[in-house]
Amino acid sequence: MAHGRTVLRIGNASGFYGDRFEAVREMLTGGPLDVLTGDYLAELTMLILARDRLKDPSLGYARTFLRQMEECLGLARERGVKIVVNAGGLNPARLAEELRRLAGRLGVEAAVAHVEGDDVLARRAELGLPEGLLAANAYLGAFGVAACLSAGADVVVTGRVTDAALVVGPGIARFGWTPADLDVLAGAVVAGHVLECGAQVTGGNYAFFREFFREHDLTRPGFPVAELHADGSSVVTKHPGTGGAVTTGTVTAQLLYETGGSHYLGPDVTARLDTVRLTEEGPDRVRIDGVRGEAPPATLKVGLNRLGGHRNEVVFVLTGLDIEAKAALVRRQFEEATPPGARPAELRWTLARTDHPDADTEEAASAYLRLTARDADPAKVGRELGKTAVELALAGYPGFHLTAPPGPGAPYGVFTAAHVDAKLVEHTAVLPDGRRLAVPPAPRTSQPSPVEHELPPPLPVGPTRRAPLGLVAGARSGDKGGDANLGVWARTEEGWRWLAHTLTVSRLRELLPETTELPVTRHLLPNLRALNFVVTGLLGEGVAAQHRFDPQAKALGEWLRARHLDIPEVLL
């Protein structure tokens, strides 16, 4: 990509593997772009791709992307739009090869390059990683992507790079940034983080969606665009005429998503989220600037996926009166009917009180008792488990039935993270002509120092009203391995003064009793009028292990917003 132009327009057409298929065409035809990115990888996706690769070593990439390119590769080339995606998953070289074949079949000239070196499974012992892994992938930075684009690539596919690298890489290639340009790189990382989840920044999953819907068409939100500048600042926007909207609220929500404290660590730079400044420049235009950067850590995060064992689930329907007693009865009967030698290593019972008194439908009168079983032995969570449940049908509580016949059980995955010396990871850009370029790690590294932020002055004491937190605060939550991230923000300075003093760790534990025994860390981001909580271990062994009702903590923030507390009347 040639240096010189002052603005680089980068769009996003995918926030996950399974996102809106037509988004690639929508973004290519909806307005001007220089680069179109797509994020296809998540912790769970890497496990899915690893299992694909076990069945067929030629797989391991996001096959949906190939179908999208079959429709849109020619269109992208006609419009001069570069494509940068992480759809390579566990096999970026094979996806690049398939893309070249596709281009030849379509009669489209397209220079294809890829980035590799993130897959360190074959070097497990050398790097000190545990045995029994299905996949081990280091989170690479943006300079490999940049090298491919600088060498003339029209399409760049990667394996496991950081999500933001898909945006930072084109910025490096266009503006000639170096590893020493830490503030600039940090600004681009923040833009990349805002873009990576697609429609989440144009109104999707937005806490205040009801009032948002009154002002904007949220039926089919558009995908976002970042106008990236040479100084690392950006303006987040979207194509004209597309649904949803870009506001400081939607950008704040995405900034808090799956992050943590002030330091957002990455392989190229540590971005200081407590320095981000948001300014609404006009309709659907939010400027991001002021971001400071620090040298990255000397290690790279490595995502590790393995099979954790086998699991099964049976859901009993409890209807009408005496719900708690019915649950106690079926639990006692089931456990007594299971011989000790056949009992799974873990039996977890969860009662969801979805029932309503004096309900006018049977479903509204019903609660659900979920039994989840896990064991290394598939036989202990297989047919016998279901057989034990079914045999209670005529001998159990009144109204006994299940939501579905029990299945045979299935394997489940576990995600954990490790860290390895960045110098030991062979980050490689494979250029369009086949040359292999080694990408060195960051030349300067440092560990982040703790940051203390002063609390704002509290609100004056005044009358309060018992009401849901969500009337005055937004939230967005998600997962990082077995930990949950929960960001909460106020929309006014007065709301922030109240929120910062009220929503302490102890108050959070009161409002969300599930967190009572878990480590909870609270981070202040005064520039965003926000708090970010990390709840360690809430999700057990990660999303694939299905540890809890909402295994990715996607609705944890909405649960918090629904809890009642005493709120100053001046805020209501």
Side-chain angles (χ1 to χ4, degrees):
M1 298 176 72
H3 297 181
R5 284 180 52 192
T6 57
V7 178
L8 182 65
R9 287 181 60 86
I10 304 176
N12 169 282
S14 177
F16 69 101
Y17 192 12
D19 211 341
R20 195 157 81 217
F21 184 88
E22 299 84 3
V24 172
R25 180 174 293 278
E26 292 171 10
M27 290 301 290
L28 289 172
T29 59
L33 285 178
D34 297 304
V35 180
L36 183 60
T37 66
D39 181 7
Y40 293 78
L41 302 184
E43 293 168 1
L44 179 60
T45 314
M46 298 301 278
L47 177 64
I48 293 169
L49 296 178
R51 294 179 67 177
D52 282 352
R53 187 173 62 175
L54 274 180
K55 298 173 187 174
D56 183 346
S58 70
L59 298 179
Y61 56 83
R63 286 174 280 177
T64 298
F65 175 69
L66 263 183
R67 292 194 291 116
Q68 290 172 313
M69 287 298 96
E70 187 160 10
E71 290 189 7
C72 295
L73 180 59
L75 181 60
R77 294 297 300 121
E78 288 172 15
R79 294 177 176 253
V81 178
K82 306 284 188 180
I83 305 291
V84 181
V85 298
N86 60 13
L90 302 180
N91 205 345
R94 182 55 181 258
L95 177 57
E97 181 183 331
E98 293 293 337
L99 284 166
R100 293 186 192 99
R101 290 176 183 165
L102 174 65
R105 181 161 53 83
L106 297 175
V108 175
E109 289 190 11
V112 180
H114 73 274
V115 176
E116 62 185 34
D118 62 296
D119 190 343
V120 295
L121 184 61
R123 302 173 59 207
R124 177 199 62 75
E126 174 192 350
L127 297 176
L129 302 176
E131 297 180 353
L133 298 175
L134 287 177
N137 295 81
Y139 286 69
L140 303 179
F143 281 89
V145 172
C148 292
L149 292 170
S150 296
D154 301 308
V155 181
V156 181
V157 296
T158 76
R160 180 71 278 184
V161 297
T162 64
D163 299 336
L166 305 177
V167 170
V168 181
I172 295 168
R174 170 60 59 84
F175 300 120
W177 301 332
T178 72
D181 296 319
L182 295 176
D183 290 346
V184 173
L185 292 171
V189 163
V190 171
H193 178 66
V194 169
L195 252 62
E196 71 183 55
C197 289
Q200 275 200 164
V201 77
T202 61
N205 290 334
Y206 188 52
F208 301 106
F209 77 100
R210 289 183 65 192
E211 64 183 64
F212 195 83
F213 220 144
R214 289 195 293 268
E215 301 173 11
H216 311 285
D217 180 10
L218 197 55
T219 308
R220 190 179 175 88
F223 278 67
V225 175
E227 297 173 355
L228 190 60
H229 294 259
D231 64 357
S233 66
S234 61
V235 173
V236 181
T237 183
K238 64 185 186 69
H239 284 331
T242 56
V246 178
T247 69
T248 52
T250 65
V251 174
T252 297
Q254 180 56 27
L255 278 172
L256 297 175
Y257 181 64
E258 295 182 350
T259 53
S262 299
H263 294 85
Y264 188 51
L265 305 183
D268 301 317
V269 64
T270 293
R272 289 286 300 271
L273 298 183
D274 56 345
T275 64
V276 175
R277 185 167 57 230
L278 303 180
T279 308
E280 204 155 304
E281 289 194 334
D284 297 320
R285 293 186 63 82
V286 174
R287 174 171 290 279
I288 302 174
D289 60 12
V291 186
R292 302 297 302 274
E294 298 176 358
T299 57
L300 296 183
K301 177 182 173 181
V302 181
L304 308 176
N305 279 283
R306 61 178 173 84
L307 288 180
H310 293 75
R311 71 183 297 278
N312 205 347
E313 185 174 281
V314 181
V315 181
F316 302 84
V317 183
L318 316 175
T319 304
L321 305 177
D322 306 317
I323 296 294
E324 299 282 349
K326 289 172 179 174
L329 174 60
V330 71
R331 179 172 179 172
R332 184 169 66 251
Q333 288 181 315
F334 185 94
E335 292 181 351
E336 288 186 4
T338 307
R343 188 165 296 169
E346 179 185 346
L347 282 177
R348 176 189 291 263
W349 297 88
T350 308
L351 178 60
R353 294 300 304 264
T354 53
D355 53 303
H356 300 270
D358 195 22
D360 57 1
T361 67
E362 182 179 337
E363 187 171 7
S366 298
Y368 297 97
L369 178 65
R370 177 178 289 104
L371 167 62
T372 304
R374 291 186 179 84
D375 200 284
D377 182 356
K380 290 187 177 181
V381 298
R383 297 291 183 187
E384 283 300 311
L385 183 90
K387 177 175 174 288
T388 302
V390 169
E391 286 177 350
L392 300 175
L394 303 182
Y397 60 87
F400 181 105
H401 66 284
L402 308 175
T403 56
Y412 70 88
V414 171
F415 176 89
T416 54
H419 292 83
V420 301
D421 188 335
K423 294 176 182 176
L424 300 178
V425 176
E426 298 169 350
H427 186 176
T428 304
V430 183
L431 307 181
D433 61 5
R435 285 181 297 136
R436 302 176 62 84
L437 180 66
V439 180
R444 186 165 67 89
T445 62
S446 67
Q447 281 299 114
S449 302
V451 176
E452 296 290 335
H453 291 289
E454 291 186 4
L455 290 171
L459 281 183
V461 176
T464 62
R465 189 194 322 159
R466 196 78 176 167
L469 174 63
L471 294 184
V472 296
R476 180 163 289 172
S477 54
D479 63 315
K480 281 294 180 187
D483 303 337
N485 153 246
L486 171 55
V488 187
W489 78 95
R491 296 194 287 179
T492 66
E493 191 59 31
E494 292 76 15
W496 167 238
R497 290 169 61 186
W498 173 79
L499 183 71
H501 287 272
T502 302
L503 196 56
T504 60
V505 169
S506 59
R507 179 62 62 86
L508 183 82
R509 288 193 169 117
E510 291 174 13
L511 296 172
L512 305 182
E514 194 178 350
T515 68
T516 301
E517 303 299 324
L518 298 173
V520 178
T521 306
R522 185 179 97 144
H523 303 279
L524 271 71
L525 295 168
N527 53 318
L528 301 176
R529 295 196 292 253
L531 304 170
N532 220 339
F533 295 90
V534 177
V535 185
T536 303
L538 180 68
L539 307 180
E541 295 178 300
V543 55
Q546 300 283 302
H547 177 76
R548 68 189 292 272
F549 165 68
D550 173 17
Q552 289 181 286
K554 296 294 187 183
L556 185 67
E558 287 302 291
W559 177 26
L560 176 65
R561 294 182 69 242
R563 297 309 310 267
H564 289 226
L565 65 172
D566 296 325
I567 299 176
E569 289 187 352
V570 295
L571 300 179
L572 296 169

